Amino acid sequence: MAAQNRVTPLGDVVAADLRGRWMGNRGCLHEGRSVVRHHRGRRWIICEPDYKGWRAAQWVPRRYTVLFFHDEAVAMAAGHRPCALCRRPSFEAYRGPLGRPGAEALDERLHAERWDGTQRRLHRLPWTSLPVGAFVLDDAGPALVRDDALLPWTTAGYGSARLRPTRGMAEVVTPPSSLRALEAGYQVQMA
């Protein structure tokens, strides 16, 4: 049975078999092997699963909850950013277009962009302004923006591509700071 430690583009932590490239955390969310809170703290990071031969232990009492992401685009849509320690070059590339804020200032900015105090914050933007690697929310659920297509995301992975709209406004899941990094050429990993 799958553990409740996979993150959706909307930031929910679910039980799913879907494997991914990245791990991360947002504080201690668990008691035993059950996730009992959405987040604790503002530092939501995307980490290497192995860093200098070290792997994070899972489900350790009073320690951060190890989370997993299908790909980096999902992690960024959920509101996470590259770790300043294990992913230093990615962290520098990510924060460069944002004026090079420190990790704490960046975490404060991202928290305000992803969370309104009680629920997930979405942003309305024109379809034509969205960079590749962003996530939107439509009637079918979260979808990854590609050049001229949308790839619907589920806990089983990406579905069949459909045409990306060229007019109107989109409900954007990816926080504005991450959008700016993508627009400036941040090379997001996509499955």
Side-chain angles (χ1 to χ4, degrees), residues 33-183:
R33 290 179 58 93
S34 298
V35 172
V36 296
R37 64 188 60 83
H38 184 267
H39 65 277
R40 175 170 268 165
R42 297 188 165 138
R43 178 157 292 152
W44 295 21
I45 57 177
I46 310 164
C47 298
E48 287 286 347
D50 270 317
Y51 178 64
K52 296 184 177 182
W54 178 82
R55 288 186 75 86
Q58 296 183 45
W59 310 113
V60 177
R62 296 179 301 282
R63 298 283 302 187
Y64 71 85
T65 304
V66 178
L67 303 172
F68 295 96
F69 310 102
H70 178 59
D71 61 18
E72 191 179 22
V74 168
M76 287 174 58
H80 293 249
R81 56 130 176 113
C83 177
L85 175 64
C86 67
R87 299 191 60 216
R88 190 67 186 195
S90 295
F91 175 74
E92 294 297 341
Y94 179 90
R95 75 182 184 135
L98 306 174
R100 300 185 51 76
E104 189 171 321
L106 187 52
D107 293 335
E108 291 292 327
R109 180 189 300 184
L110 281 167
H111 192 71
E113 293 174 355
R114 70 180 168 241
W115 195 253
D116 75 359
T118 59
Q119 65 182 356
R120 180 62 196 231
R121 190 181 301 262
L122 301 177
H123 307 273
R124 287 182 60 76
L125 294 169
W127 279 103
T128 56
S129 72
L130 300 179
V132 169
F135 262 88
V136 297
L137 183 64
D138 64 14
D139 294 339
L144 176 66
V145 175
R146 296 303 294 248
D147 292 319
D148 60 351
L150 294 178
L151 296 178
W153 185 91
T154 71
T155 56
Y158 290 109
S160 299
R162 59 182 188 266
L163 283 178
R164 173 182 174 173
T166 57
R167 294 186 304 230
M169 302 293 278
E171 292 291 327
V172 184
V173 177
T174 305
S177 291
S178 294
L179 292 176
R180 281 193 290 286
L182 292 170
E183 290 164 353

